[in-house]
């Protein structure tokens, strides 16, 4: 009964009391698959979504209620399940649905006890000493009378949700061996022994994580890997139909999302569907003359404005609902600082001390809860302490960009230089001629150096932040945010980058941008004769795609670089008339990147040279999907002569 009360209500965006909805009334089935790619995916999660959305995936679907069931004769007993999925894709909702179905007597009744323990909760006691028995007593008060012998005979399921939020150092290779549920040790050591099976070897373990953090669990400890893929196209439509009773409104919203590839891809994520629904409902149900948002920066700028308006309508005030007062602006910039500083560190969960370091106190967040609850939320957890987070990682990235752009407009040299201090590696010397000498007074310079900073990251954790920075340089988005950015103090002359389309979240590999912008790029192309590192190639493809001039020919054989470097150059295909990829050792990943570029709009490509590559079936199928598309404008394809699939196309 306790677990049912805990799981039967859910919230979207906010966790404030009284805001919950019955889970079973809104739950939309998620697409979950068994297995994952062989390599650990460390790309930014948005790029993972972009790539996944283009593939015709034939993975085996599995329902969350069945993740511990043996589905084939080849599978052995499944004790530990690791579930991957990008932020906001529905991992926690799946855990909650599984737990609720068990508590209501509908599913998995062979399990004696389901014990949810989120990593964000466990962080609060990471420095304490416990036995497994005492840990259960403090985490679930209803289990105070449970005895040690009960744990050894019952069939238990421990659910550890949100490994990516963990602040533990899990030492699987060297740790104290524990096999007794009454033996006391650090919480981290208890968890490792439980996962490895030294402690309660018959207990089932379910761990959820974002992909980049999943490697913390050794493969030898895991019996099944599943992945939450979010919503399929039909499930996206079902979500909006269930959310709005007005059928006409839901149809208009679905139609707009389908028309914007960026929004359509991101609506794989349920939390993003919620953000989109809030903005489009507001704009479609009032006298709205402006254009509906099509890019993420535009959408998130409107989302912030909607939250400000709701706060004004709830608490009143002399200003127009959408206008910022000083208190609102001060609070949002403090939240932006928190978002930025922890984005750099890779943290998405915050505690009271983290807020205090950024000038925020708990009472301040509570007072302005009307503007905060759907941006930044507080959760009262089982240990009677509070933990805070943004409603989605992308909201943290957006507010971080707002904060940093505001620092730029205020000419805060100390903050800017601290952020950019590692953004000039020696191998960028050839690139330095494009940059102005003063990074503080030149917006072009600032944005380019921020791009270089993001390229240094191995897991792309600053990619979306940098794309938002470019979007915020547009006057249209500055107007939406109404004074929050102090745009009156920004660069005295309009920057070239303010004139071109900013970085839309679509079609992208490294630095995907619209093909317009900096006319200086053609000069650079002719000057590069030295061997290019992979980071060179990432920066170069950015410039090639921003060029106002469409390239007549791009021949990757002429660039001295590695195979990975050539793969990074492939997205420039979208801004070329002829592309020669002969003998470039195209892999499936390369074909995926190529297909993404080919599907871009507009696409100028008319001649594609692929001879000299041993394409495998998955890569060929990706290209065939493009070639068979009615919108394909390719006129000439030169491929391997004996390739029967491409020959038929």
């Amino acid at each position: 009964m306790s677990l049912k009360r805990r799981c039967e209500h859910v919230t979207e965006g906010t966790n404030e009391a009284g805001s919950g909805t019955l889970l079973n009334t809104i739950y939309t089935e998620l697409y979950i698959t068994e297995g994952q790619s062989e390599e650990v995916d460390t790309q930014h999660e948005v790029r993972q979504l972009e790539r996944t959305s283009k593939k015709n995936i034939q993975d085996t679907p599995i329902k969350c209620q069945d993740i511990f069931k043996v589905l084939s004769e080849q599978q052995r007993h499944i004790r530990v399940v690791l579930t991957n999925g990008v932020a906001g894709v529905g991992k926690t909702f799946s855990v909650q649905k599984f737990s609720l179905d068990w508590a209501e007597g509908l599913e998995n009744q062979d399990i004696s006890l389901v014990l949810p323990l989120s990593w964000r909760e466990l962080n609060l006691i990471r420095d304490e000493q416990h036995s497994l028995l005492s840990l259960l007593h403090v985490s679930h008060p209803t289990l105070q009378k449970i005895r040690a012998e009960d744990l050894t005979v019952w069939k238990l399921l421990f659910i550890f949700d949100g490994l990516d939020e963990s602040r533990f150092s899990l030492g699987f290779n060297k740790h104290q061996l524990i096999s007794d549920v009454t033996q006391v040790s650090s919480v981290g050591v208890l968890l490792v022994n439980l996962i490895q099976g030294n402690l309660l070897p018959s207990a089932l373990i379910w761990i959820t994580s974002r992909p980049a953090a999943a490697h913390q669990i050794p493969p030898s400890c895991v019996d099944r890997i599943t992945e939450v893929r979010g919503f399929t196209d039909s499930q996206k439509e079902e979500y909006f139909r269930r959310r709005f009773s007005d059928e006409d409104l839901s149809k208009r919203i679905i139609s707009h999302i389908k028309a914007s590839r960026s929004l359509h891809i991101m609506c794989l994520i349920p939390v993003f569907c919620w953000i989109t629904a809030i903005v489009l409902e507001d704009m479609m149900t009032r006298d709205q003359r402006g254009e509906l948002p099509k890019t993420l920066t535009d959408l998130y700028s409107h989302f912030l404005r909607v939250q400000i308006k709701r706060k004004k309508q709830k608490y009143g005030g002399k200003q127009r609902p959408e206008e910022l007062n000083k208190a609102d602006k001060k609070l949002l910039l403090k939240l932006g600082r928190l978002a930025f500083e922890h984005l750099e560190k890779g943290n998405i969960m915050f505690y009271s001390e983290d807020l205090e370091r950024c000038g925020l106190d708990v009472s301040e967040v509570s007072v302005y809860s009307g503007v905060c609850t759907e941006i930044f939320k507080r959760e009262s957890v089982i240990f009677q302490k509070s933990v805070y987070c943004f409603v989605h990682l992308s909201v943290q990235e957006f507010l971080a960009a707002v904060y940093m752009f505001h620092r730029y407009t205020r000419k805060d040299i100390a903050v800017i230089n601290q952020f950019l201090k590692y953004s000039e590696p020696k191998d960028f010397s050839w690139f330095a001629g494009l940059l102005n000498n003063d990074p503080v007074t030149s917006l072009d310079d600032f944005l380019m150096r921020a791009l270089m900073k993001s390229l240094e990251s191995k897991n792309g954790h600053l990619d979306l932040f940098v794309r938002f920075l470019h979007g915020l340089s547009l006057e249209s988005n500055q107007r939406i945010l109404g004074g929050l950015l102090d745009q009156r103090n920004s660069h005295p002359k309009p920057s070239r980058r303010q004139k071109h389309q900013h970085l839309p979240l679509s079609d992208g590999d490294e630095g995907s941008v619209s093909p317009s912008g900096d006319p200086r790029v053609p000069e650079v192309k002719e000057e590069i004769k030295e061997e290019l590192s992979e980071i060179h190639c990432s920066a170069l493809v950015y410039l090639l795609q921003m060029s106002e001039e469409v390239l007549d020919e791009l021949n990757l054989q002429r660039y001295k670089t590695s195979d990975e470097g050539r793969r990074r150059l492939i997205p420039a295909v979208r801004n070329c008339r002829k592309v020669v990829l002969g003998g470039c050792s195209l892999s499936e990943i390369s074909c995926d990147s190529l297909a993404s570029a080919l599907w871009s709009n507009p696409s100028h490509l008319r001649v594609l040279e692929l001879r000299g590559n041993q394409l495998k079936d998955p890569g060929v199928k990706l290209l065939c999907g493009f070639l068979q598309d009615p919108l394909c404008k390719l006129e000439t394809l030169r491929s391997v002569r004996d390739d029967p699939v491409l020959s038929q196309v």
Side-chain angles (χ1 to χ4, degrees):
M1 293 303 296
S2 173
L3 189 61
K4 180 183 175 182
R5 287 193 298 269
R6 179 174 173 172
C7 295
E8 65 184 349
H9 285 87
V10 296
T11 54
E12 289 182 292
T14 174
N15 226 18
E16 295 299 299
S19 63
T21 305
L22 286 173
L23 172 62
N24 286 331
T25 63
I26 67 165
Y27 183 78
T28 303
E29 192 72 37
L30 291 157
Y31 185 55
I32 305 174
T33 62
E34 183 172 11
Q36 67 170 14
S37 59
E38 295 180 2
E39 296 181 359
V40 175
D41 200 335
T42 57
Q43 285 188 317
H44 189 281
E45 293 181 352
V46 167
R47 294 218 294 259
Q48 296 177 41
L49 289 174
E50 292 169 347
R51 188 180 65 255
T52 300
S53 70
K54 304 182 201 91
K55 290 186 178 180
N56 183 21
I57 298 170
Q58 300 294 330
D59 292 323
T60 304
I62 184 173
K63 292 185 177 180
C64 72
Q65 294 88 348
D66 297 335
I67 62 169
F68 286 99
K69 296 178 181 176
V70 177
L71 302 179
S72 68
E73 295 179 357
Q74 288 76 30
Q75 288 177 331
R76 56 186 177 125
H77 170 67
I78 295 169
R79 191 183 76 86
V80 178
V81 174
L82 176 61
T83 296
N84 289 321
V86 301
V89 79
K91 301 183 295 296
T92 298
F93 264 43
S94 297
V95 164
Q96 205 161 340
K97 178 63 173 170
F98 182 103
S99 303
L100 181 61
D101 285 350
W102 176 83
E104 292 183 333
L106 301 177
E107 299 281 352
N108 294 288
Q109 294 304 288
D110 58 316
I111 297 175
S112 307
L113 200 59
V114 173
L115 301 162
L117 286 164
S118 74
W119 292 96
R120 70 178 62 170
E121 295 169 341
L122 292 169
N123 287 339
L124 296 169
I125 58 167
R126 65 185 182 277
D127 297 325
E128 297 180 12
Q129 297 282 313
H130 280 283
S131 68
L132 183 61
L133 185 62
S134 69
L135 178 63
L136 294 184
H137 286 167
V138 298
S139 62
H140 293 281
T142 55
L143 302 180
Q144 288 290 339
K145 295 182 180 179
I146 199 171
R147 300 169 302 174
E149 52 266 32
D150 296 328
L151 297 182
T152 60
V153 296
W154 290 350
K155 184 175 182 179
L156 308 176
L157 166 59
F158 292 86
I159 303 178
F160 299 109
D161 187 29
L163 176 62
D164 48 281
E165 298 169 356
S166 166
R167 295 193 179 183
F168 285 85
S169 296
L170 298 176
F172 281 89
N173 296 325
K174 187 177 181 180
H175 60 81
Q176 179 186 4
L177 186 65
I178 296 177
S179 57
D180 187 334
V181 297
T182 62
Q183 187 175 347
V184 175
S185 74
S186 68
V187 177
V189 170
L190 281 179
L191 299 178
V192 168
N193 277 278
L194 190 59
I195 293 169
Q196 285 185 326
N198 303 321
L199 189 58
L200 294 181
S202 62
L204 304 177
I205 311 292
W206 185 8
I207 303 166
T208 73
S209 176
R210 288 164 56 204
H215 69 278
Q216 296 179 59
I217 309 298
S220 59
C221 294
V222 179
D223 301 302
R224 170 177 281 165
I225 295 177
T226 64
E227 181 178 0
V228 181
R229 293 271 174 82
F231 288 154
T232 62
D233 288 351
S234 61
Q235 288 166 344
K236 295 173 193 175
E237 296 184 21
E238 180 187 350
Y239 172 89
F240 289 107
R241 284 195 298 267
R242 294 183 71 163
R243 181 179 176 88
F244 299 109
S245 57
D246 186 335
E247 185 178 349
D248 180 62
L249 176 61
S250 64
K251 285 182 178 179
R252 289 165 61 201
I253 288 177
I254 291 169
S255 176
H256 178 72
I257 290 169
K258 286 183 174 179
S260 171
R261 188 172 177 278
S262 302
L263 303 188
H264 195 248
I265 288 173
M266 288 298 289
C267 278
L268 286 164
I269 301 177
V271 169
F272 187 79
C273 289
W274 169 77
I275 292 173
T276 304
I278 284 178
V279 172
L280 295 184
E281 180 186 22
D282 179 79
M283 298 183 74
M284 288 181 174
T285 54
R286 61 182 171 85
D287 185 17
Q288 211 293 115
R289 297 183 180 181
E291 188 177 2
L292 293 173
K294 294 181 180 179
T295 67
L296 287 195
T297 308
D298 193 1
L299 184 81
Y300 278 60
S301 298
H302 279 288
F303 176 67
L304 195 57
R305 186 172 178 174
V306 169
Q307 300 310 323
I308 294 166
K309 184 176 76 171
R310 287 185 173 185
K311 183 250 184 183
K312 293 290 199 311
Q313 290 172 338
K314 183 175 181 179
Y315 296 102
K318 297 180 180 180
Q319 291 176 297
R320 291 190 307 174
E322 65 274 14
E323 288 183 348
L324 277 172
N325 60 34
K326 290 183 179 179
D328 295 331
K329 180 176 177 180
K330 184 178 180 181
L331 175 65
L332 289 172
L333 290 175
K334 287 180 180 179
L335 286 173
R337 178 186 169 189
L338 179 75
F340 171 74
E341 291 184 358
H342 285 270
L343 182 66
E344 280 203 300
K345 299 173 185 175
N347 294 337
I348 61 174
M349 303 303 303
F350 324 107
Y351 301 92
S352 298
E353 57 269 26
D354 298 323
L355 272 64
E356 292 168 2
R357 278 194 288 268
C358 292
L360 282 161
D361 59 54
V362 175
S363 62
E364 185 177 19
V365 173
S366 300
V367 168
Y368 289 99
S369 60
V371 75
C372 282
T373 52
E374 293 188 346
I375 299 170
F376 186 71
K377 62 182 181 179
R378 176 182 63 84
E379 298 185 357
S380 294
V381 296
I382 56 179
F383 302 110
Q384 304 305 311
K385 297 180 182 179
S386 293
V387 62
Y388 302 83
C389 64
F390 291 93
V391 295
H392 187 245
L393 175 60
S394 59
V395 175
Q396 180 177 347
E397 291 166 309
F398 177 71
L399 278 176
V402 168
Y403 168 76
M404 180 50 63
F405 198 87
H406 178 264
R407 292 294 87 196
Y408 166 77
T409 61
R410 296 296 296 269
K411 306 295 186 271
D412 192 333
I413 298 174
V415 172
I416 293 172
N417 287 349
Q418 176 67 21
F419 169 53
L420 299 176
K421 65 179 180 179
Y422 296 115
S423 62
E424 294 183 85
K426 294 179 181 179
D427 63 351
F428 266 110
S429 57
W430 67 273
F431 203 58
L434 289 178
L435 304 175
N436 296 327
N437 292 326
D438 189 345
V440 177
T441 59
S442 165
L443 181 57
D444 276 351
D445 206 28
F446 170 64
L447 294 176
M448 185 62 74
R449 291 176 188 272
L451 170 72
M452 291 190 208
K453 177 78 173 182
S454 73
L455 291 174
E456 293 173 5
S457 169
K458 292 182 179 180
N459 63 2
H461 74 293
L462 295 176
D463 288 3
L464 186 53
F465 162 78
V466 169
R467 294 187 187 193
F468 278 138
L469 267 184
H470 281 73
L472 292 170
S473 72
L474 292 177
E475 292 179 6
S476 58
N477 288 322
Q478 293 174 7
R479 285 195 299 271
I480 294 170
L481 292 175
L484 181 59
L485 300 176
D486 282 348
Q487 65 266 31
R488 65 184 180 277
N489 294 325
S490 59
H491 196 248
K493 294 182 180 180
S495 161
R496 294 184 187 276
R497 198 158 285 105
Q498 284 179 295
K499 298 176 182 178
H500 71 62
Q501 279 285 342
H502 61 283
L503 306 177
L505 207 56
S506 62
D507 305 330
D509 201 309
E510 319 291 333
S512 171
V513 296
S514 296
S516 59
D518 199 325
R520 296 171 293 182
V521 176
E523 300 172 13
V524 177
K525 298 195 300 285
E526 302 303 323
E527 294 170 4
I528 301 175
K529 300 182 184 298
E530 60 188 277
E531 184 168 352
L532 302 181
S533 67
E534 292 171 4
I535 198 168
H536 279 140
C537 294
S538 294
L540 178 58
V541 77
Y542 171 82
L543 293 177
L544 291 174
Q545 291 177 97
M546 288 175 59
S547 175
E548 292 175 343
E549 177 185 335
V550 178
L551 241 62
D552 286 330
E553 180 177 334
L554 174 65
N555 187 340
L556 294 194
Q557 291 178 316
R558 296 177 183 170
Y559 291 89
K560 297 179 181 178
T561 186
S562 63
D563 288 343
E564 170 63 16
R566 290 190 181 91
R567 187 188 75 79
R568 294 193 182 196
L569 288 170
I570 286 176
V573 164
R574 63 172 57 85
N575 201 27
C576 304
R577 295 186 179 91
K578 177 182 178 180
V579 174
V580 179
L581 302 177
C584 288
S585 303
L586 292 183
S587 63
E588 180 184 353
I589 296 176
S590 302
C591 290
D592 182 28
S593 182
L594 176 59
S596 167
L598 294 175
W599 255 301
S600 63
N601 185 21
S603 176
H604 304 280
L605 188 66
R606 298 296 179 268
V607 180
L608 178 60
E609 166 72 76
L610 291 174
R611 286 184 290 198
N613 289 287
Q614 299 297 320
L615 300 180
K616 296 183 179 179
D617 286 350
V620 172
K621 288 177 182 177
L622 281 170
L623 296 179
C624 287
F626 163 73
L627 296 171
Q628 293 171 328
D629 193 303
L631 298 178
C632 173
K633 297 179 182 179
L634 196 67
E635 297 170 357
T636 304
L637 171 66
R638 298 189 180 97
S639 66
V640 183
R641 289 184 179 181
D642 59 352
D643 191 324
V645 180
L646 285 176
S647 298
Q648 290 176 15
V649 176

